[in-house]
Amino acid sequence: MRITMKDGTKKEIMTVWREADVVKMIDQRPLPFELKFVDLNTTEEIWHSIKDMYTRGAGAIGVTAGFGMAQVALQNADLPPDQLIAKLEEAKKYLDTARPTAVNLMHATKRTLEKGKDAQQRGDDSDGIVKAVVEEADEIFEEDQRAATKMAEYGGKLIQDGWSVLTHCNAGALAFSGLWGTATGPVRWAHQQGKNVFVFCDETRPRCQGARLTAWEMAQEGIDYAIIVDNANSHFIQRGKVDIVFVGSDRIAANGDVCNKIGTLGVALACKHYNVPFYVVAPRMTIDYEMENGMAIEIEERDQEEVTCMWGLDYEKEEKVKMRIAEINANAKNIAFDVTPAELVSGIITEFGILEPSKEGLAKIKDLPPV
Ligand code: MRU
């Protein structure tokens, strides 16, 4: 993503990247108050970075998991091929448990493991297996960025000068590895074309990815925005203040049902009622062709404390504070995602173009070579 430095200059930074067997990333937890980077040296650290949301967003999770597999390969290069493959299989099983909903995670571990196994079957030695796994992890990273660039343009062309866009959660550059993100890609593209765009950033309780991350990304790029509480989005949609909605996705079922951050379904329902276009921006890597419909997608349930507490910055003391907003023993349900039925979606913007949200629409790109 592009950030503005204290002296006003712009700098491009990656959300996650790899240097040999060390995975490096922005630790998104203290944002927007502190821009901090972390080094991950072990598979356990990679697992925690996904589970505890140092990194988050389907694309970034997938890239991190792929790099995690590359790390395992590089750190076990002196083992004989069968033991190296066993290590990779073990790592895949473990990493896949970090978060259940974003399919990019499982796709990345599967793709890297399969490349390793193909190399073994070809008779490659351990060095050859390591090379195959690392190359595939790097390809996932690069594919992610190429896809985001394409999606930004396809979606950006839908935005007219002076339009207001609404987005939910953070499907921005922080949720990917490169500069565009998914749902914010079209906004960035339109802004770069000189169009006036305004962005409503849904706050996105309980972790407030919209307020903390999307708003910060917009500010960094000088794009006009306002944070709104989640309860306000249907109001702005009803009053004609929203021209178009772009959201990302964590998993799209083969029939076009879209799983995304909790609250997305409500936005889609309001859009249908008030006739506002509702687009999903996601690369092919997010489509789960084995999942017949969205109702079968496993929905992550997170710690109740994310709902019963809030955290922020005490401006006077300049320190991070966590506060209870409910009684100490209060019960909460913390459902992280919901499923928007395909019939509420205007189109799915992928790196191959805008698809009809249906089995036939998604099938068209299933076997195309990567962009
Ligand atoms: O729980 P998170 O922050 O990982 O959820 C992120 C989202 O729901 C995004 O909208 C989604 O991953 C698409 S962005 C690649």
Side-chain angles (χ1 to χ4, degrees), residues 53 56-59 99 169-171 175-176 209 249-250 260-261 337:
M53 295 173 71
R56 28 108 356 244
R99 290 190 75 186
C169 194
N170 173 267
F176 259 62
Q209 291 95 326
S249 173
D250 291 84
N260 191 46
K261 180 55 57 192
F337 301 97

Side-chain angles (χ1 to χ4, degrees), residues 274-326:
Y274 292 108
N275 212 13
V276 172
F278 175 93
Y279 282 92
V280 175
V281 192
R284 179 175 56 188
M285 183 92 166
T286 303
I287 303 172
D288 185 349
Y289 285 101
E290 284 165 26
M291 188 70 64
E292 224 173 283
N293 65 70
M295 285 311 170
I297 297 173
E298 184 180 344
I299 304 288
E300 179 180 15
E301 191 161 349
R302 296 185 63 85
D303 199 321
Q304 293 186 30
E305 275 218 340
E306 291 181 354
V307 174
T308 56
C309 296
M310 286 200 78
W311 76 268
L313 190 78
D314 180 327
Y315 258 67
E316 274 163 30
K317 293 190 193 139
E318 285 197 7
E319 61 190 33
K320 223 174 113 177
V321 284
K322 181 174 163 185
M323 289 189 306
R324 285 210 152 263
I325 57 164

Side-chain angles (χ1 to χ4, degrees), residues 122-350:
R122 280 196 309 267
D124 284 9
D125 60 8
S126 292
D127 284 346
I129 296 172
V130 171
K131 186 168 175 282
V133 173
V134 170
E135 275 176 7
E136 188 64 4
D138 289 345
E139 170 58 20
I140 292 168
F141 172 69
E142 276 151 29
E143 226 174 86
D144 183 86
Q145 290 163 56
R146 293 196 303 267
T149 312
K150 289 273 181 195
M151 291 185 288
E153 185 172 349
Y154 286 124
K157 287 182 175 159
L158 299 175
I159 301 176
Q160 291 177 24
D161 190 31
W163 269 20
S164 291
V165 171
L166 184 139
T167 189
H168 189 73
C169 194
N170 173 267
L174 288 165
F176 259 62
S177 54
L179 300 178
W180 297 95
T182 52
T184 59
V187 172
R188 287 191 158 95
W189 190 87
H191 177 73
Q192 284 182 16
Q193 300 295 306
K195 291 181 190 168
N196 280 317
V197 197
F198 179 85
V199 182
F200 287 102
C201 306
D202 275 0
E203 175 192 30
T204 321
R205 274 278 288 151
R207 290 189 67 104
C208 297
Q209 291 95 326
R212 293 195 304 110
L213 308 176
T214 308
W216 182 70
E217 285 193 26
M218 295 301 102
Q220 293 302 312
E221 301 213 20
I223 299 171
D224 206 8
Y225 72 91
I227 298 166
I228 57 169
V229 293
D230 300 321
N231 329 25
N233 53 40
S234 50
H235 165 86
F236 287 109
I237 290 167
Q238 180 194 46
R239 298 294 163 105
K241 302 287 182 202
V242 176
D243 296 294
I244 193 165
V245 170
F246 292 108
V247 295
S249 173
D250 291 84
R251 192 185 294 233
I252 299 173
N255 70 342
D257 288 350
V258 172
C259 183
N260 191 46
K261 180 55 57 192
I262 192 77
T264 305
L265 172 60
V267 177
L269 285 165
C271 284
K272 188 71 170 180
H273 191 80
Y274 292 108
N275 212 13
V276 172
F278 175 93
Y279 282 92
V280 175
V281 192
R284 179 175 56 188
M285 183 92 166
T286 303
I287 303 172
D288 185 349
Y289 285 101
E290 284 165 26
M291 188 70 64
E292 224 173 283
N293 65 70
M295 285 311 170
I297 297 173
E298 184 180 344
I299 304 288
E300 179 180 15
E301 191 161 349
R302 296 185 63 85
D303 199 321
Q304 293 186 30
E305 275 218 340
E306 291 181 354
V307 174
T308 56
C309 296
M310 286 200 78
W311 76 268
L313 190 78
D314 180 327
Y315 258 67
E316 274 163 30
K317 293 190 193 139
E318 285 197 7
E319 61 190 33
K320 223 174 113 177
V321 284
K322 181 174 163 185
M323 289 189 306
R324 285 210 152 263
I325 57 164
E327 189 249 314
I328 192 103
N329 296 317
N331 298 322
K333 277 256 174 226
N334 188 8
I335 302 300
F337 301 97
D338 60 26
V339 174
T340 298
E343 65 261 28
L344 299 182
V345 177
S346 310
I348 299 180
I349 303 174
T350 70

